[in-house]
Amino acid sequence: MYLEHFGLRESPFNITPDTAFFFASARYQEALNTLLIAARTGEGFMKITGEVGTGKTLLCRKFISSLDETFKVAYIPNPYLEPHSLLLALAEELGIEIVDTGQHHLLKSITQALTEFSNQGRQVIICLDEAQAMPLETMEALRLLTNLETEKRKLLQVVIFGQPELEDKLNQQSIRQLKQRITFDYRLSPLNRDDLHYYLNHRLIVAGYQGGRLFSSWALWMLHRRTEGIPRLVNIVAHKAMLAVFGKGRKTVGMADVMAACNDTASTRKMNWRFAALLGVLIAVLAAAVMWNATQ
């Protein structure tokens, strides 16, 4: 009923990463282009960081889906693994049949597979999500793997996606060599107010929406203020606001609907100090205007 009410084929604001909904804003397209260029030039290490909910996993999946058949991708969504377990996970992703799981034989099998892929004209890329959770010794083992190379290029490229805490981990003295090898680096930032407007429209259109403006200007203002442009929070609040509007039999989301949705969402329930300060100034101006009119 909810989808039918708004003329949608599917829910536009699911928080599950779906590349069909990838929004190519200037920042996100630049990040994607950076990864694609780095991959094609054969660089060893690439790094993408961003706050929780800024779309790192979606960018990772979009990057993987944008690569052609000349690339072989190993995707590891949870790198909280000891070095040996990471090697086993990499071998599994590359389709390597492991007979002996001993460290020496495991490394030999992976090296042989990487060499074979190279001889076939294919470049191997390992993408690690949530890299801030990776133990330091595993990071060092990963760096050592990237030492494998031909005279022309690396046999293995690495892309790490992580939260800002990843920077602190990379500043550890014990893995300073890994940090020096990161040749491409990009920091994802939240959506600005203009991006937010296009982001909402993009997701609605992909979901099949063909109606008029669904979010009012004040609703957009409130949505950006309370979510600070974090895509995941935007999705959660927008979905709840649309549900509220559906329940009232309306088809336009107003500021009050967004406020109610935010108050029902723990991550946005507490107003940030900038929003509180702006609201206080607005109330003071309105109060002064009322008093001035009353004296006239």
Side-chain angles (χ1 to χ4, degrees):
M1 293 295 291
Y2 165 81
L3 298 180
E4 184 180 342
H5 179 75
F6 291 105
L8 299 167
R9 293 189 305 271
E10 57 184 314
S11 178
F13 297 114
N14 284 331
I15 60 174
T16 302
D18 183 345
T19 55
F21 286 92
F22 179 77
F23 175 60
S25 68
R27 292 184 181 93
Y28 284 79
Q29 188 62 53
E30 185 178 7
L32 178 60
N33 291 343
T34 297
L35 289 175
L36 291 173
I37 292 170
R40 287 164 185 157
T41 54
E43 298 297 338
F45 266 91
M46 297 158 267
K47 174 168 68 73
I48 301 289
T49 55
E51 274 294 346
V52 175
T54 50
K56 297 181 295 298
T57 299
L58 179 56
L59 175 63
C60 177
R61 294 185 180 181
K62 181 64 176 179
F63 167 63
I64 292 172
S65 68
S66 300
L67 296 172
D68 58 32
E69 65 279 357
T70 61
F71 291 91
K72 175 65 177 179
V73 180
Y75 174 58
I76 299 180
N78 178 20
Y80 186 60
L81 303 166
E82 61 177 353
H84 189 72
S85 297
L86 178 67
L87 293 178
L88 286 172
L90 176 58
E92 182 180 357
E93 282 290 303
L94 296 179
I96 302 172
E97 186 177 346
I98 301 298
V99 178
D100 187 338
T101 59
Q103 188 81 355
H104 172 72
H105 290 282
L106 184 56
L107 280 171
K108 185 177 179 180
S109 297
I110 291 175
T111 302
Q112 182 178 350
L114 293 176
T115 302
E116 289 175 358
F117 280 121
S118 180
N119 291 337
Q120 296 166 10
R122 303 187 70 186
Q123 179 65 31
V124 178
I125 296 181
I126 178 172
C127 293
L128 298 113
D129 207 355
E130 303 294 346
Q132 76 281 347
M134 189 185 302
L136 291 178
E137 59 271 21
T138 304
M139 285 189 170
E140 179 61 11
L142 194 62
R143 180 190 70 81
L144 292 174
L145 268 179
T146 62
N147 285 337
L148 302 173
E149 57 190 359
T150 66
E151 292 182 355
K152 298 290 186 181
R153 61 188 299 157
K154 297 287 187 182
L155 291 178
L156 178 68
Q157 293 175 273
V158 179
V159 188
I160 52 178
F161 296 81
Q163 297 169 17
E165 303 91 272
L166 177 60
E167 301 287 0
D168 296 330
K169 183 162 285 188
L170 291 172
N171 285 330
Q172 297 290 321
Q173 186 73 2
S174 61
I175 56 170
R176 61 190 183 279
Q177 291 188 63
L178 186 152
K179 185 175 181 179
Q180 287 181 356
R181 295 193 183 190
I182 296 174
T183 52
F184 283 82
D185 185 0
Y186 198 92
R187 176 73 179 266
L188 291 178
S189 56
L191 301 166
N192 60 36
R193 197 176 303 172
D194 289 336
D195 284 341
L196 177 63
H197 170 67
Y198 292 113
Y199 174 81
L200 294 172
N201 285 344
H202 169 75
R203 295 192 71 100
L204 286 166
I205 291 171
V206 171
Y209 184 69
Q210 297 180 346
R213 184 167 185 170
L214 200 150
F215 288 82
S216 72
S217 297
W218 281 108
L220 289 173
W221 179 82
M222 180 62 68
L223 182 59
H224 188 265
R225 282 289 173 180
R226 294 292 293 271
T227 65
E228 297 186 332
I230 303 294
R232 183 182 296 156
L233 294 180
V234 169
N235 287 0
I236 293 171
V237 173
H239 175 64
K240 288 183 177 181
M242 287 178 65
L243 280 175
V245 168
F246 164 66
K248 298 172 185 176
R250 301 192 341 253
K251 291 193 175 182
T252 303
V253 177
M255 183 171 71
D257 302 308
V258 173
M259 288 184 66
C262 288
N263 292 335
D264 187 55
T265 305
S267 297
T268 60
R269 193 175 298 145
K270 185 178 181 180
M271 294 185 296
N272 58 64
W273 68 269
R274 287 171 294 182
F275 174 72
L278 183 61
L279 187 60
V281 171
L282 181 60
I283 292 173
V285 170
L286 290 174
V290 170
M291 292 180 62
W292 185 84
N293 287 331
T295 60
Q296 299 304 308

